[in-house]
Amino acid sequence: MKAYYWLITGFLILFDLAQGQIINPNEPVKYIGKDQISNSDYKEGYHDGQMQPAIGVQNYQILRANRSYPEKSDGLGWTYNHAPNLAYWNNQFYCHYLSNPTGEHIAPGATLISSSKDGMTWEKPKLAFPIYFTANDDASINFFFMHQRMGFYVAPNGRLLTMGFYGSHSGYGIGRVVREIYENNEFGPIYFIRVNDNWEGEVKYPIYSDSKDQGFVAACDAFLNDKVKRMQWWEEHRLAEDRKEFFRVPAIDGKDQPGQAFCYYTLPDKTLVGFFKGRWVTTSTDNGDTWTQPVQCNSLTYKGAKIWGQKLDNKRYALVYNPTNSMARHPLSIATSDNGIQYDNLLNVHSEVPPKRFWGAEKRPGPQYIRGIIEGNGNPPGDDLYVVYSVNKEDIWISRVPVPVKGEVNGPVVDEFDKMEVGGSVTNWNIYSPKWCPVEISKSPTSPENVLMIKDFDPYDYAKAVRVFQKSNRLKIEFQLFIEANPEMLAVEIVSANGNRCVQTKIDVDGILKAKNGTNGFSNVLALNSGKWISFEFGINAVEKTFDLFVNGEFVAGKYDLSNDGIPERIIFRTGEYRLTDDVQKWKSGDKFIPGWDEPGADEQAQEAVFYLREFSSKPIE
């Protein structure tokens, strides 16, 4: 069906009769929701922006940087890891990221790839593109770092290519390299798929067309002829003589550039909606032959980093980005849409910001530079959305976001961990699971049943498990807890929708259950025994602003005042103290970076703290 145009109130409006949706060229994508972050400033802001989480999101750490013991991380021991990309091929996930020894754009550089069968447990990364250097006439050496906004391409003939760029985002450098990933996860030879026009001299690898593998050559040719996918290359090839033909998008603000970090999705009428870094949006109705003038969608709160747009398996759409005006990049959130044009329902995907363990230039705090699986690069089983990103430009993470994306629960909650699969998804729970703080379904320490294990042996991070329940002024929460070892405390907090910690209790390292009565400090409630299951019951009355606590059926705390106002909406189990601000001085002071620091003992595992949870329930009381 044809599209028709009208001039309405001074704006040119595109109305697609097939879909009944309006695309305004002056704002092709708009956030119309009321949900906004409260305060995420890096000096004193909340890491979660005081926003609700998307229910059931699972955060898993793919790589934990380790300088002292490279064999425990990536084999290199480098501590600047950033800009990951994701694909799903041959029943596996592939994550591709770039790495430097300490900081951004500081050579040498390399690109690594990790793979996973389930998106939770990841193999040790393998070096995909190694250090590249050239020698000068005086025998000095020039090292190059890597920069790229894309990592994978599944070709029409089924071949999986991975790519990287030796050079900078400004268009200067050697060029783009490519190699094939085989079904056994081995790599093919490295070739150049495009050498930059401004590069003078020879290159170390042959041109892809020299390969005797015609299937590989055909896969490379298919990418070069894909005018939509190759938009991801713009930054590194922006100075090419054929750039206007190669990239097709009109200039932004009169500059000869289409924008950075391109991603896109396809509407039902085949219109392409393309996103660039900086909230720039463009559309195409002829499969990328022509694009509209990019415009900046200012309804999307945004300060920096990438934005990711994707069509979901339930035919809705998602934008994942940092909705903040702060220089820090947290939280990482998701907004959803029925039509791919108007978005609302902003919810958190990743709200944790651990301390940076290693010094490095431009290592901004927070989960950032988000990428999902671009159209054509595979679709994992199920409806879930998968996205990868770096945290503090130091560690690499992946999130699995259940689809449909929801922020509220209605009715009682009864969780039976025994019906969940060992090592599988913790259904309806939000999981924050670093490499050294695993949160997973495991066998009970006392019986064959399956339970939720919460473990922590990381000196600078913690494990966290969150269950959202129906927001209620009065409710009863019950669960059983097993303490195997607690050299680290376990916080048990009941919080409101904006994260106000209404009920604050913890099992301290001395084995004593402690609680806050109002705004007073923690006081001792009861000594707990390890090595056996302990029953807990919380009775909460947000109207009277009090709570009662029973342990093993005995009344141990009555009419304690809530520590903060709010209507309870979720419970948090966390193996560490609550985190709030970023360590600004260790990131940046004015325009100068503070060099030379590393956190002591960051590469050493701490003594294990281990807890198990079962029979969790939450019931609103009428």
Side-chain angles (χ1 to χ4, degrees):
M1 184 173 290
K2 295 181 179 179
Y4 294 87
Y5 299 84
W6 288 273
L7 190 64
I8 302 177
T9 63
F11 295 103
L12 183 65
I13 303 296
L14 171 61
F15 180 67
D16 189 318
L17 292 180
Q19 301 303 319
Q21 64 191 38
I22 296 175
I23 299 178
N24 181 349
N26 293 307
E27 194 174 30
V29 170
K30 185 174 183 178
Y31 181 73
I32 61 173
K34 296 180 180 179
D35 300 307
Q36 300 283 355
I37 64 170
S38 173
N39 177 11
S40 65
D41 184 78
Y42 64 86
K43 293 181 180 179
E44 55 184 15
Y46 296 91
H47 290 166
D48 64 1
Q50 295 190 293
M51 289 174 54
Q52 293 174 277
I55 293 173
V57 172
Q58 321 264 289
N59 306 140
Y60 294 102
Q61 195 174 52
I62 296 174
L63 171 82
R64 184 191 191 275
N66 193 311
R67 178 169 292 157
S68 304
Y69 306 100
E71 68 277 6
K72 293 183 179 180
S73 58
D74 56 6
L76 293 177
W78 292 0
T79 56
Y80 176 87
N81 302 291
H82 193 39
N85 291 276
L86 188 64
Y88 187 81
W89 178 80
N90 189 33
N91 300 316
Q92 291 186 79
F93 292 90
Y94 292 88
C95 178
H96 156 299
Y97 65 94
L98 56 83
S99 186
N100 299 334
T102 58
E104 185 166 279
H105 299 169
I106 299 176
T111 295
L112 298 97
I113 291 178
S114 180
S115 61
S116 172
K117 295 286 188 181
D118 58 12
M120 295 181 288
T121 304
W122 289 79
E123 299 295 325
K124 181 179 177 180
K126 297 167 59 177
L127 195 62
F129 298 112
I131 294 172
Y132 196 111
F133 63 90
T134 60
N136 298 318
D137 293 338
D138 61 0
S140 60
I141 300 297
N142 297 319
F143 288 98
F144 292 81
F145 61 85
M146 302 196 75
H147 185 279
Q148 55 255 0
R149 301 299 196 188
M150 68 156 292
F152 301 104
Y153 177 65
V154 178
N157 63 6
R159 302 288 186 102
L160 175 61
L161 305 181
T162 184
M163 302 180 197
F165 181 79
Y166 286 109
S168 77
H169 64 295
S170 63
Y172 290 96
I174 303 171
R176 182 92 45 175
V177 282
V178 62
R179 67 193 311 183
E180 186 173 352
I181 301 176
Y182 301 134
E183 290 187 0
N184 62 0
N185 281 351
E186 296 297 320
F187 299 142
I190 299 175
Y191 294 89
F192 272 95
I193 188 171
R194 187 178 176 100
V195 178
N196 274 26
D197 292 342
N198 54 31
W199 175 251
E200 297 179 359
E202 297 181 354
V203 293
K204 286 189 176 183
Y205 305 117
I207 303 301
Y208 80 94
S209 55
D210 292 342
S211 172
K212 295 181 180 180
D213 184 342
Q214 294 306 303
F216 171 75
V217 173
C220 293
D221 285 337
F223 179 85
L224 290 171
N225 290 324
D226 191 324
K227 50 188 171 293
V228 178
K229 297 286 196 310
R230 70 193 187 200
M231 287 292 299
Q232 300 168 96
W233 277 15
W234 172 77
E235 283 172 89
E236 299 87 7
H237 300 280
R238 66 173 77 182
L239 303 180
E241 293 181 1
D242 62 348
R243 61 190 179 277
K244 291 184 179 180
E245 173 60 25
F246 200 71
F247 296 119
R248 300 292 178 96
V249 174
I252 294 176
D253 281 353
K255 299 177 182 178
D256 185 18
Q257 63 178 45
Q260 305 170 327
F262 178 75
C263 68
Y264 74 97
Y265 52 72
T266 306
L267 300 180
D269 66 349
K270 307 303 181 184
T271 295
L272 304 180
V273 181
F275 293 84
F276 302 106
K277 186 178 179 180
R279 297 178 294 184
W280 294 99
V281 181
T282 181
T283 61
S284 173
T285 58
D286 53 14
N287 198 33
D289 281 335
T290 60
W291 295 83
T292 60
Q293 177 68 47
V295 294
Q296 203 163 30
C297 294
N298 293 320
S299 61
L300 302 175
T301 303
Y302 175 91
K303 185 68 175 182
K306 297 179 183 177
I307 186 168
W308 179 258
Q310 184 171 330
K311 186 174 184 178
L312 304 174
D313 283 355
N314 67 347
K315 310 305 180 185
R316 301 189 81 234
Y317 302 83
L319 294 180
V320 189
Y321 61 106
N322 300 117
T324 176
N325 285 318
S326 167
M327 291 300 292
R329 292 168 174 171
H330 56 73
L332 185 65
S333 301
I334 184 169
T336 50
S337 171
D338 286 325
N339 57 16
I341 303 301
Q342 295 176 316
Y343 283 84
D344 60 8
N345 196 33
L346 192 65
L347 298 166
N348 278 345
V349 170
H350 184 119
S351 304
E352 291 296 327
V353 185
K356 284 186 291 297
R357 304 184 303 278
F358 307 99
W359 173 82
E362 279 295 344
K363 290 178 69 174
R364 300 190 184 191
Q368 58 194 281
Y369 270 46
I370 183 77
R371 301 294 276 182
I373 300 176
I374 205 161
E375 292 183 8
N377 277 0
N379 189 5
D383 292 338
D384 296 340
L385 167 67
Y386 291 84
V387 288
V388 288
Y389 47 95
S390 72
V391 173
N392 301 337
K393 301 189 182 183
E394 187 164 280
D395 305 317
I396 304 299
W397 284 76
I398 186 169
S399 286
R400 178 175 58 202
V401 184
V403 175
V405 180
K406 297 179 179 179
E408 295 183 353
V409 171
N410 293 311
V413 166
V414 178
D415 289 323
E416 300 178 272
F417 298 118
D418 191 42
K419 293 184 178 180
M420 301 180 193
E421 182 180 351
V422 171
S425 175
V426 189
T427 308
N428 294 324
W429 282 70
N430 288 64
I431 300 302
Y432 175 74
S433 183
K435 282 280 190 181
W436 290 2
C437 300
V439 180
E440 61 188 23
I441 300 296
S442 72
K443 289 297 181 182
S444 167
T446 60
S447 64
E449 69 177 323
N450 295 343
V451 296
L452 180 64
M453 181 190 72
I454 303 172
K455 184 183 290 189
D456 182 352
F457 48 94
D458 193 318
Y460 285 95
D461 210 347
Y462 51 56
K464 190 173 82 167
V466 179
R467 184 50 157 111
V468 179
F469 44 75
Q470 180 175 315
K471 185 186 302 183
S472 305
N473 276 312
R474 299 182 66 229
L475 74 156
K476 180 171 72 172
I477 295 174
E478 296 180 283
F479 57 86
Q480 292 189 2
L481 188 72
F482 187 97
I483 306 170
E484 183 171 282
N486 67 314
E488 182 61 74
M489 58 87 79
L490 177 71
V492 181
E493 299 177 343
I494 299 169
V495 308
S496 66
N498 67 354
N500 280 344
R501 294 179 294 157
C502 305
V503 175
Q504 296 184 53
T505 67
K506 66 179 178 179
I507 300 166
D508 219 335
V509 294
D510 56 8
I512 295 178
L513 173 64
K514 302 178 180 180
K516 277 192 173 185
N517 188 350
T519 57
N520 298 321
F522 282 98
S523 59
N524 294 346
V525 174
L526 181 70
L528 300 177
N529 294 321
S530 60
K532 60 176 60 177
W533 287 100
I534 305 168
S535 297
F536 290 79
E537 178 185 328
F538 287 88
I540 304 169
N541 189 326
V543 176
E544 297 182 359
K545 301 180 181 180
T546 62
F547 74 94
D548 300 327
L549 176 57
F550 297 80
V551 176
N552 290 330
E554 295 185 7
F555 185 72
V556 297
K559 299 301 181 183
Y560 272 35
D561 291 333
L562 300 184
S563 298
N564 291 284
D565 291 341
I567 303 175
E569 183 238 31
R570 60 187 183 269
I571 189 168
I572 297 173
F573 297 87
R574 187 186 62 244
T575 59
E577 299 290 347
Y578 177 70
R579 294 190 291 231
L580 185 62
T581 60
D582 306 319
D583 195 337
V584 181
Q585 293 302 318
K586 290 184 177 179
W587 168 46
K588 193 172 185 179
S589 178
D591 293 328
K592 296 180 179 180
F593 294 97
I594 308 300
W597 62 267
D598 287 337
E599 295 290 359
D603 293 336
E604 304 285 345
Q605 293 182 359
Q607 186 179 355
E608 284 190 354
V610 187
F611 306 90
Y612 298 92
L613 183 69
R614 72 180 185 185
E615 297 182 15
F616 178 86
S617 67
S618 172
K619 181 181 179 181
I621 299 174
E622 300 298 333

